[in-house]
């Protein structure tokens, strides 16, 4: 999935347009945890083709933001599926990123638990990271605007971790 163009194309042709159809209001920002880079690249390209002013942010683990150009100092982070020591993701177009947001393990966990408790959404670490990043934007530079995130992981595969203790 790290090299399959269909990964990018699925999000470009389907996920991005679906977000635009369902939003019901202008979108100002988009945050996505960088795993393969396919969902970020596909959705960001679709959103920016509709409105180039939409700000797209790559979400990475705190201390392992290799895509932002940082040396990993926390390779043992708990946000599974990203923060690799591989800054070359072939599906990712770095020109689509308007910025990078680092999220700590603690913020991702706290936010994933909050999603379950307050919204009934049973999600995992990277989904918690995406929402934590969006909340940070909504409390700051995109206050009062609309920020979209993807919730790419279910909480089911994390039942054996302390995410749900």
């Amino acid at each position: 999935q790290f090299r399959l163009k269909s990964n990018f194309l699925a999000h470009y042709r389907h996920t991005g347009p679906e977000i635009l159809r369902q939003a019901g209001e202008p979108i100002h920002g988009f945050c996505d945890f960088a795993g393969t880079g396919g969902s970020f690249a596909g959705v960001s390209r679709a959103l920016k083709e509709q409105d180039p002013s939409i700000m797209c942010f790559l979400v990475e683990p705190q201390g392992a933001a290799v895509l932002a150009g940082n040396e990993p100092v926390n390779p043992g982070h708990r946000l599974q599926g990203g923060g690799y020591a591989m800054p070359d993701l072939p599906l990712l177009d770095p020109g689509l990123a308007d910025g990078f947001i680092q999220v700590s393990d603690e913020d991702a966990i706290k936010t994933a638990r909050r999603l379950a408790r307050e919204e009934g959404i049973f999600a995992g670490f990277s989904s918690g990271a995406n929402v934590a990043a969006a909340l940070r934007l909504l409390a700051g530079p995109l206050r009062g605007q609309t920020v979209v995130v993807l919730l790419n992981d279910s909480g089911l595969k994390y039942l054996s971790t302390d995410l749900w203790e």
Side-chain angles (χ1 to χ4, degrees):
Q1 71 185 11
F2 283 88
R3 300 197 186 316
L4 294 175
K5 191 171 182 178
S6 58
N7 176 342
F8 160 82
L9 288 173
H11 294 290
Y12 173 69
R13 292 179 179 163
H14 303 288
T15 312
E18 180 180 348
I19 289 168
L20 290 164
R21 278 193 309 275
Q22 292 188 15
E25 57 187 76
I27 297 169
H28 303 96
F30 170 63
C31 298
D32 194 30
F33 187 75
T36 65
S39 60
F40 176 83
V43 171
S44 294
R45 183 168 311 275
L47 295 179
K48 285 182 175 288
E49 283 179 2
Q50 179 73 25
D51 180 354
S53 72
I54 296 173
M55 304 280 296
C56 297
F57 297 89
L58 276 164
V59 179
E60 295 189 272
Q62 186 175 344
V66 296
L67 298 174
N70 300 328
E71 288 294 320
V73 295
N74 181 19
H77 63 83
R78 301 186 46 215
L79 304 182
Q80 299 172 23
Y84 307 106
M86 53 184 281
D88 180 35
L89 296 172
L91 300 175
L92 188 63
D93 177 355
L96 294 169
D98 295 296
F100 300 86
I101 301 173
Q102 293 185 45
V103 175
S104 70
D105 294 345
E106 296 77 23
D107 283 346
I109 291 167
K110 181 176 74 173
T111 306
R113 289 176 178 169
R114 185 175 167 199
L115 279 170
R117 186 177 59 254
E118 295 177 18
E119 303 294 337
I121 297 172
F122 189 51
F125 289 100
S126 64
S127 294
N130 282 347
V131 174
L135 289 171
R136 195 177 308 160
L137 289 172
L138 290 166
L142 296 180
R143 178 180 229 91
Q145 298 185 27
T146 301
V147 176
V148 174
V149 300
L150 299 179
L151 303 182
N152 295 325
D153 56 352
S154 162
L156 287 175
K157 62 185 173 187
Y158 303 108
L159 287 173
S160 62
T161 73
D162 64 350
L163 177 60
W164 301 112
E165 63 179 5

